[in-house]
């Protein structure tokens, strides 16, 4: 017989927000990345729109799952508790490892191909909080989290692009 099992979605969302904060990532940091990605396309873009879009992306269960899994692996690597050779690969953010990027794509996927483009772009330039997360000299390991944060920002940026496009088409009809 299968046991009835239900996970409290609110508890998952709450844990996601708490762990992001504990690992030094604020919604404002992610909104800044969104602004960075979209400012050239929408000169009248407001920071509040970026914040609101980040909040919307942060409501998604796929995002909660990726954040909690990624941070857990980063923490275990920080404490030296992963099995070798995975420990060395995650600890050193080994270039050929790549599973951190694949996990981040599970977030970007939700928002279509423009999300991929934004993610690739921000991953290459590493502005703002991404530069901080990538700093290898502070003893903190963010091998997974940097990609996840980039993916959240890329998704929030894509969300804005899709919504602005829909709005423009709506106005053309009138
Ligand atoms: Mg990484």
């Amino acid at each position: 017989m299968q046991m009835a099992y239900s996970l409290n979605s609110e508890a998952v969302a709450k844990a996601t927000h708490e762990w992001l904060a504990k690992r030094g990532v604020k919604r404002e940091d992610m909104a800044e990345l969104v602004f960075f990605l979209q400012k050239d396309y929408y000169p009248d873009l407001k920071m509040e729109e970026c914040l609101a879009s980040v909040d919307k992306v942060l409501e998604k269960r796929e995002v909660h799952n990726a954040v909690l899994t990624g941070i857990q692996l980063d923490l275990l690597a920080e404490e030296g508790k992963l099995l070798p050779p995975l420990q060395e690969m995650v600890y050193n953010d080994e270039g050929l490892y790549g599973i951190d990027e694949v996990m981040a794509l599970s977030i970007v996927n939700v928002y279509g191909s423009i999300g991929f483009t934004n993610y690739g772009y921000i991953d290459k330039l590493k502005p703002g909080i991404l530069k901080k997360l990538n700093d290898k000299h502070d003893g903190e390991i963010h091998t997974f989290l940097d990609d996840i944060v980039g993916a959240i920002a890329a998704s929030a940026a894509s969300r804005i692009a899709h919504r602005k496009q829909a709005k423009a088409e709506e106005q053309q009809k009138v």
Side-chain angles (χ1 to χ4, degrees), residues 10-27:
E10 249 173 63
V12 177
K14 190 165 169 275
T16 300
H17 286 92
E18 285 172 3
W19 274 107
L20 280 172
K22 277 189 211 171
R23 299 298 281 172
V25 179
K26 298 193 288 286
R27 57 197 274 277

Side-chain angles (χ1 to χ4, degrees), residues 17-145:
H17 286 92
E18 285 172 3
W19 274 107
L20 280 172
K22 277 189 211 171
R23 299 298 281 172
V25 179
K26 298 193 288 286
R27 57 197 274 277
E28 288 82 4
D29 297 324
M30 293 185 275
E32 269 173 31
L33 297 179
V34 177
F35 190 81
F36 172 85
L37 279 168
Q38 296 300 77
K39 64 180 185 328
D40 294 338
Y41 303 102
Y42 310 109
D44 59 345
L45 182 66
K46 303 273 184 300
M47 200 58 186
E48 293 79 64
E49 288 178 87
C50 299
L51 277 167
S53 195
V54 165
D55 288 342
K56 274 285 166 201
V57 173
L58 282 174
E59 285 175 10
K60 292 219 170 273
R61 187 56 181 270
E62 292 92 337
V63 176
H64 303 157
N65 294 342
V67 167
L68 293 174
T69 307
I71 289 177
Q72 179 71 83
L73 289 165
D74 283 344
L75 278 171
L76 289 170
E78 217 168 275
E79 294 163 2
K81 287 182 177 161
L82 292 173
L83 296 173
L86 186 61
Q87 172 63 33
E88 287 71 34
M89 291 193 277
V90 176
Y91 190 89
N92 296 312
D93 202 1
E94 170 76 45
L96 290 176
Y97 176 60
I99 306 299
D100 43 346
E101 279 114 24
V102 174
M103 197 194 285
L105 292 180
S106 72
I107 296 174
V108 178
N109 258 336
V110 180
Y111 292 92
S113 61
I114 186 174
F116 284 94
T117 312
N118 281 331
Y119 173 72
Y121 184 69
I122 212 166
D123 183 49
K124 202 165 186 152
L125 294 182
K126 300 202 191 303
I129 183 77
L130 295 183
K131 186 162 184 268
K132 199 171 148 243
L133 291 175
N134 260 286
D135 179 14
K136 304 278 188 289
H137 306 286
D138 58 4
E140 287 186 9
I141 302 297
H142 298 295
T143 296
F144 280 88
L145 188 57

